[in-house]
Amino acid sequence: MKLALIGSGKIIMMALDALKTIQGIELVALCVRPESEEKGAALCQQFAIAKLYTDYQTLLQDDEVDTVYIGLPNHLHYQYTQQALMADKHVICEKPFTPHWAQLQKLIALSQKRNLFLFEAITSIHTPEFAIIQQNIDKIGEIKAIQGNYSQYSSRYNDYLQGRVHGAFDPKQAGGALYDINLYNIYLLVALMGKPENSQYICNKGFNGIDTSGIFTAQYATATASCMGAKDSASPGFFIIQGTKGYIQVHGAPSLCQKVEVCIDGKTSTVIRDESINHMVYEFAYFRDQIASQKHQQSSELLELALNVSQVLTQGRENVGLVFE
């Protein structure tokens, strides 16, 4: 994989840290805004990136680049992904894929038409610990309840209370608790249980209509689910699946899936991933291997999962009248 990174924010810094430990991925280029050129030059020097671009269209004309990683604000994902696919680049796009379900349908159709790989960068489902959940979920009996909570007091919330709106709280930039943080709960839920029979979202709204916190509920044939996500308050993170013979619990942030406890018939085992391991290494290794193999079956299944999650998110947003441009 010959990779170009798009952006220079926190998620790009995390990606750079992960990529320095992964074999088989060559960092070819970095693309930043013109006003961030100095920062981009420093990153290129620090991480031995050969090329720096301040114009996205020029980068897309670089034949050495075969894959782009889009680490930009939510509202730019659709546009930048579409342009990259049209330039015959594979795309890794940060979550959420797109603010609208219909947009994601268009991107998937375009990637399939051009025989390109398209990935959503969801860290949790590529970790070894998530595989442990999958291996044990049938052993805890009939599933009856699922609970998730991912709540962090946002560093931007105090500004928001003073009327200064950053992207994380801006409907025009597809912000809010559902798409930014509760998405991780919902991704685990749909990945493990499938699309719910019905679902509902209720939320606390700020002065501009954005959801600062909220609860997503879902109904399955034999189980109910509740997913809490908040940017206006804090709580210990967890995700727990309750069955008639036991439970499986993710301790800590559902996005990391770092510590998993499995209890079956009263017997408990726990797996904890080393905190020094950057959780993004697993997803990038997966993307690398999929592109190298040129086998689209697994990636197509993940795109189907992404579509289901996107549809659920869109319905939840519509429940509360939250409008994204």
Side-chain angles (χ1 to χ4, degrees), residues 22-35:
I22 302 175
Q23 301 295 317
I25 299 179
E26 180 183 348
L27 274 177
V28 175
L30 174 67
C31 184
V32 301
R33 295 177 300 174
E35 55 266 38

Side-chain angles (χ1 to χ4, degrees), residues 23 44 47-48 101 168 245 254:
Q23 301 295 317
C44 286
F47 292 96
W101 178 45
K245 294 182 179 180

